[in-house]
Amino acid sequence: PEALAEDLSSTVAEKLAAAVRERGDATIAVSGGRTPALFFDHLSRRDIPWDKVTVTLVDERFVPADSPRSNARLVAQHLLQNKAARAAFVGLYH
């Protein structure tokens, strides 16, 4: 799992950085659940222009963002940390 998360985060970081270089910004839509947490941890440490990246969800449970079941909470705890704390986040629950 560690090697897979490391490799996937490297590939995604390269794609995000390329999008920022080409268009000035990038968006990534991620899934929730427990599966992507390790990948998010690795991606959050990648050196890319996070201030030009927007993160959103492809799915969400209809629960507040502070609920243990919230995918937004998962993203906040595992992806929007470290270097990725500079990214913008657009949640689905309102």
Side-chain angles (χ1 to χ4, degrees), residues 1 9 18 20 33-34 42 46 49 52 60 63 78 80 89-90:
S9 71
V20 170
R34 300 177 63 106
H42 282 262
R46 293 289 177 173
K52 298 183 180 346
E60 178 61 288
V63 296
H78 292 276
L80 301 176
F89 177 72
V90 177

Side-chain angles (χ1 to χ4, degrees), residues 7-27:
D7 288 348
L8 181 58
S9 71
S10 176
T11 299
V12 171
E14 289 172 13
K15 300 285 187 189
L16 289 171
V20 170
R21 281 192 306 275
E22 293 170 14
R23 294 189 299 274
D25 61 8
T27 301

Side-chain angles (χ1 to χ4, degrees), residues 26-30 50 53-57 75 79-80 84 87-91:
T27 301
I28 181 170
V30 298
W50 283 107
V53 175
T54 299
V55 178
T56 192
L57 295 163
V75 168
L79 180 55
L80 301 176
F89 177 72
V90 177

Side-chain angles (χ1 to χ4, degrees), residues 23-67:
R23 294 189 299 274
D25 61 8
T27 301
I28 181 170
V30 298
S31 294
R34 300 177 63 106
T35 303
L38 187 59
F39 159 65
F40 291 166
D41 291 337
H42 282 262
L43 185 59
S44 75
R45 293 180 184 92
R46 293 289 177 173
D47 189 24
I48 64 172
W50 283 107
D51 59 328
K52 298 183 180 346
V53 175
T54 299
V55 178
T56 192
L57 295 163
V58 297
D59 62 339
E60 178 61 288
R61 296 172 179 95
F62 197 70
V63 296
D66 61 351
S67 168

